[in-house]
Each structure stands twice: as C-alpha cells, then as structure tokens.
Amino acid sequence: MALRDILIHPDPRLKKVAAPVPEVTAEIRRLAGDMLETMYDAPGIGLAAPQVGVLSRLLVMDCVKGEADPARPMVLINPEIAWVSEAMNVYEEGCLSIPEQYGDVERPAEVVVRWTDLDGKGQEERFAGLWATCVQHEIDHLNGKLFIDYLKPLRRQMITRRMVKLKRERARA
Ligand code: NI
C-alpha cells in the first residue's frame, strides 16, 4: 500500500461528479487500501476517491473514536443513501482537502446507506452520530460537493482564500 497525495481545495477535480465503479478489480482494491492508509496517516475519519484525484464512487471511513476501541476500516463502493431521518443534527465538520478549517453543518441525524463491498457484495447499514455525518460528507464528495458549500457565502469565500494562500505557500516550499 502507498500514501496518496490529498488534493487541496480549490481544485476542479473536487467539484466533479464521480463515475460509478463498474467492477471491483485489483486496481480498485489497491485504491481502497491506499486510501485507508492515507486517511489514517493524515489523520482523518473519512476520505473519498476524488480527494486523491480518482473520479470514482468509492469512499473509506473509520469513525471509531476511543483509542482503546478496535478500528473499523470501511470501504464503500457506489454508496447510495436509501433513507434519511427527519431528525437533524449539527456537527462541526472539517475536511482533509480543507485543512484546519471547520464549520457547523446540519444534516439528517441518521441515514441508511447501501453500497458494494470489496468482495462485490451488496451491503446496507443504518448510521447514526458521527458515522452518519461522516458518510454523508463523503458521499457529497462523490457529487462534487464540499462541506463549505453549506456555509454562508462570506465564510466560504474566506476559507477558499485561505486555501489559495496555503497552496501557494506549499508550492513555494
Ligand atoms: Ni471531506
């Protein structure tokens, strides 16, 4: 497995709708492994393929919080939200493509998601709490949407300016 570079906003690839994965190939399995390694290394709790420059509908996540709790690395291929709760929840979100910037986002508190796993089998699960927020945030990435798109325009523009500056500094380093 290998670490992949995480794209930083603004980048046109983060605004694109990703294409469905037609088949779970060796390449897809390698991508998922690399993405998990990259996510844990960052460290982060979720990562979507477009964030490493691959415009495919695949995401990884692990929202286990406690250091003592066993990790739960998940790979979701072609995920679809099948149901959302009426109850909403506000979380302060961040994103590996928008480092060190945070904002409150309101989303359904619970969701049922269907996806294909690495064995090509259909899966379905109901997510709540941080898992629900994370899976919705990552599925947004597959549709070219970022958490800052939910913020007020002025706040979004401020964060984008900071990221432009960060990218300029990194390019110079
Ligand atoms: Ni993100």
Side-chain angles (χ1 to χ4, degrees):
M1 287 193 286
L3 293 179
R4 303 227 183 178
D5 288 332
I6 298 174
L7 301 181
I8 303 298
H9 164 74
D11 187 298
R13 288 166 289 182
L14 294 172
K15 306 299 287 178
K16 295 242 165 71
V17 177
V21 175
E23 197 189 348
V24 182
T25 58
E27 191 186 333
I28 287 294
R29 276 190 282 271
R30 189 168 57 241
L31 171 66
D34 287 355
M35 283 172 58
L36 279 168
E37 194 180 344
T38 304
M39 178 189 81
Y40 286 124
D41 179 73
I45 59 171
L47 187 66
Q51 291 181 274
V52 295
V54 179
L55 291 174
S56 294
R57 302 189 79 80
L58 186 154
L59 66 88
V60 299
M61 62 177 180
D62 183 349
C63 300
V64 173
K65 272 194 214 157
E67 301 261 314
D69 299 325
R72 194 192 174 202
M74 296 191 76
V75 176
L76 280 66
I77 298 165
N78 300 331
E80 300 272 0
I81 294 176
W83 174 86
V84 299
S85 64
E86 264 179 55
M88 303 292 278
N89 203 357
V90 176
Y91 254 105
E92 190 181 49
E93 296 188 19
C95 180
L96 292 176
S97 292
I98 312 173
E100 287 167 43
Q101 307 298 316
Y102 305 92
D104 283 344
V105 178
E106 188 181 47
R107 300 182 188 271
E110 291 186 54
V111 289
V112 171
V113 180
R114 294 194 187 118
W115 71 95
T116 301
D117 69 14
L118 279 179
D119 297 318
K121 277 200 312 202
Q123 300 285 346
E124 183 181 300
E125 189 168 324
R126 183 169 177 148
F127 294 100
L130 182 57
W131 287 91
T133 290
C134 184
V135 76
Q136 291 175 83
H137 173 121
E138 300 310 329
I139 290 172
D140 272 354
H141 274 300
L142 305 181
N143 295 319
K145 192 162 185 179
L146 302 171
F147 84 89
I148 56 171
D149 294 330
Y150 295 91
L151 307 181
K152 293 201 172 73
L154 275 176
R155 174 98 182 110
R156 182 164 65 242
Q157 285 155 20
M158 191 179 72
I159 289 175
T160 299
R161 276 199 301 274
R162 281 187 191 147
M163 292 301 100
V164 169
K165 193 163 163 253
L166 175 74
K167 288 173 80 168
R168 215 183 287 138
E169 283 164 5
R170 284 190 180 182
R172 244 188 253 132

